[in-house]
Amino acid sequence: QVQLVESGGGLVQSGGSLRLSCAASGSISSMYVMAWYRQAPGKQREPVATVTSDGRTDYAEFVKGRFTISRDNVKNTVYLQMNSVKPEDTGVYFCNAVRYSVKYWGEGILVTVSS
């Protein structure tokens, strides 16, 4: 059973930076795609960024140019570097992985951006 554990969340000032980490219990090399989602209070969970096994990345328009997703297959960890954060970036961020069409989720971690 794959486990994903997020860390690095917390409180950050608007315009600041934060790096989220997602540590997998096993190898992420076999994961076809890994992603970060976020969910603000009262809103639908939405994709933020994805990275495929061959290194292709994709970003939601609202984070493009500010956030960077990366994966370290040696450390079995996926990162989300968040720069120039805005109050609207506040929410619970979830790590997601897909392997053989099976989806895995972390429990989520709260990011709060103060004005």
Side-chain angles (χ1 to χ4, degrees), residues 20-33:
L20 304 182
S21 298
C22 171
S25 60
S27 175
I28 65 170
S29 298
S30 60
M31 297 295 181
Y32 174 70
V33 61

Side-chain angles (χ1 to χ4, degrees), residues 82-99:
M82 306 168 61
N83 296 328
S84 302
V85 295
K86 305 174 181 179
E88 51 263 43
D89 293 324
T90 294
V92 177
Y93 284 69
F94 297 87
C95 184
N96 167 263
V98 179
R99 182 176 64 187

Side-chain angles (χ1 to χ4, degrees), residues 21-100:
S21 298
C22 171
S25 60
S27 175
I28 65 170
S29 298
S30 60
M31 297 295 181
Y32 174 70
V33 61
M34 301 202 69
W36 287 95
Y37 285 68
R38 74 184 184 189
Q39 186 169 20
K43 297 184 66 178
Q44 181 181 342
R45 187 179 301 184
E46 59 187 354
V48 175
T50 63
V51 58
T52 63
S53 58
D54 60 358
R56 290 178 296 165
T57 59
D58 196 15
Y59 298 92
E61 195 66 32
F62 52 82
V63 304
K64 194 169 296 183
R66 299 188 297 120
F67 293 5
T68 302
I69 188 171
S70 61
R71 59 191 296 169
D72 187 330
N73 291 339
V74 176
K75 296 182 177 180
N76 295 318
T77 302
V78 177
Y79 303 97
L80 183 68
Q81 180 66 46
M82 306 168 61
N83 296 328
S84 302
V85 295
K86 305 174 181 179
E88 51 263 43
D89 293 324
T90 294
V92 177
Y93 284 69
F94 297 87
C95 184
N96 167 263
V98 179
R99 182 176 64 187
Y100 309 127

